[in-house]
Amino acid sequence: MTELARFYNVVGGQTCGSANGGWLASTNPYTGEDWAEVPRCGPDDARAAVEAAHRAFTKGPWASLSATSRGKLLRRLGDLIARDAEKLAAIEVRDNGKLLAEMAGQVRYIPEWFYYYGGLADKIEGGVLPTDKPNLFSYTKREPLGVVVAITPWNSPLLLLTWKLAPALAAGNTVVIKPSEFTSCSTLALMDLVKEAEFPDGVINTVTGYGSEVGAALVEHPLVAKVAFTGGDATGAAVYAAAARGIKHVTLELGGKSPNIIFADAKIDDAVKGAISGIFAASGQTCIAGSRLLVQRSVYDQVSAKLVALAKTARLGDPMAETTQVGPITTLPQRDKVLNYIDIARSEGATCLLGGKRPESPELAKGWFVEPTVFGDVSNSMRIAREEVFGPVLSIIPFEDDAEAIEIANDSLYGLAAGVWTSDIRRAFTMADKIRAGTVWVNTYRAVSFMAPFGGTKQSGIGRENGQAAMDEYLETKCVWINLAEGVPNPFVLR
Ligand code: NAD
């Protein structure tokens, strides 16, 4: 048996395992074999990490560091990530099964968040207020919240962590990171760079392990001011309820069932490529997956045929190989969940136009693959159209006109993202207005940026990440009143 790589947590600047000495194996989804292990933490570790973060927030050098110096630290971390992009990408590919072709670009892009928010760190401004009260001067300050717990899922560990970490630090908070139990390794590798960048001890801490054993203890800790969570909606609801008991700030980035809408006037070949990238990129394991493809009835047969023909050419294989286009599903339970949804779709009467099973090639036998799968004749009331599958499974739903497209698009518990494919500019604007989603893409799909606010409506979440909007999620406003007059007027009335 090959020896497993070991990754450690960092708490208060100290490299550590778990208090109880337990370890948790991380499995490579392409080989099905364990390749690394991370500490299996519990409530004692959660407590130690929150206390370290709280000490750093209240007593350490971080609290008195100038905002400009804070920004420089963020930019330094960005530079180090850029330097080690290949190494970090390779860890994530082994841990998560995402394609190296995608990860290499993604990790090279991550530094931009640290540069952008590093730049914003010393542009956090309050204001002097006009006043209706003579002899009272008032101004506002924008202050960090305190200890932020950042909880991330398995599908894009470093990117989704960065969306929380960069603005939280720029605002002056300290952070405890709890990565997914399935994919913690790249986050722990990042901690080497945090040390090299010389962040003060305790500003960024990690605890790894199961949500029930360590995640819940973090959320419930009374010294935690905010929970920034990305994950499934059921977990999100539990985190929200636990945070509410302690009156904590929360942002939730949850699931989606995003409509990708092709009108008859669209450039059909572009729209078909957009549909493919919306659902088969990252093997469909993205919250923004365009898993409901709404197609205008007059081009329904044409779009379905072209889409199936193109999806059939997708090369499944080793995520490390540059030629691979579709990798494995990240976890075994998730692979089984995807296969179960395929059975459900069939039993509900959807027509399987492509895929619908594990691939037969012996080369892929050990990995957790599911073939790119396309269902036609889907009605929006079927479970396959209502529930998040989080895998390479597309449902094609026909519609007649704009009104019906809007009705179907909005008939969902979720509202994360949407795509619209049309050549009509008025239709583009109207659809962007009428669709309830945090992001609407027109004639493109899956574009995200450090500059552009991202988040969900309805059960897709609360709050926004990215862009200047994200800074508001990590700051609160203090109002200061200064009496400029001599003496205090009648103390029994409101001033
Ligand atoms: P998950 O909800 O199972 O786990 C997410 C994280 O929460 C993990 O780190 C887990 O350990 C932790 N956790 C579990 N129980 C907890 C508890 N009681 N208290 C605190 N933490 C707890 O999600 P997942 O399966 O890792 O990720 C997939 C889900 O994430 C999908 O539903 C997907 O849509 C969603 N997602 C959303 C976005 C977005 O930005 N909207 C992005 C990516 C993924």
Side-chain angles (χ1 to χ4, degrees), residues 151-155 160 163 178-181 209-212 215-216 219 229-233 235 238-239 253-256 287 388 390 416 454 460 465:
I151 302 178
T152 53
W154 45 256
N155 57 324
L160 298 174
W163 291 10
K178 154 65 185 93
S180 165
E181 55 272 33
Y210 292 106
S212 56
V219 175
F229 174 88
T230 299
D233 47 2
T235 319
V239 165
E253 300 288 359
L254 309 176
C287 51
E388 187 181 47
F390 221 60
L416 189 60
F454 177 89
S460 290
E465 299 195 299

Side-chain angles (χ1 to χ4, degrees), residues 431-445:
M431 297 303 286
D433 282 350
K434 301 274 184 206
I435 293 174
R436 286 214 60 206
T439 297
V440 178
W441 291 293
V442 177
N443 295 333
T444 185
Y445 205 86

Side-chain angles (χ1 to χ4, degrees), residues 61-62 65 69 73-74 76-77 80 191-201 203-204:
W62 180 248
L65 206 62
S69 302
L73 275 177
L74 264 89
R76 201 182 305 160
L77 181 57
L80 295 173
M191 291 307 285
D192 292 342
L193 306 185
V194 167
K195 193 177 170 76
E196 193 178 337
E198 296 181 352
F199 275 84
D201 292 349
V203 172
I204 309 174

Side-chain angles (χ1 to χ4, degrees), residues 295-319:
V295 183
Q296 197 152 24
R297 204 175 284 280
S298 57
V299 290
Y300 182 86
D301 290 340
Q302 185 194 1
V303 168
S304 305
K306 285 189 173 212
L307 190 129
V308 167
L310 188 56
K312 235 183 217 165
T313 66
R315 281 187 301 275
L316 280 66
D318 182 349

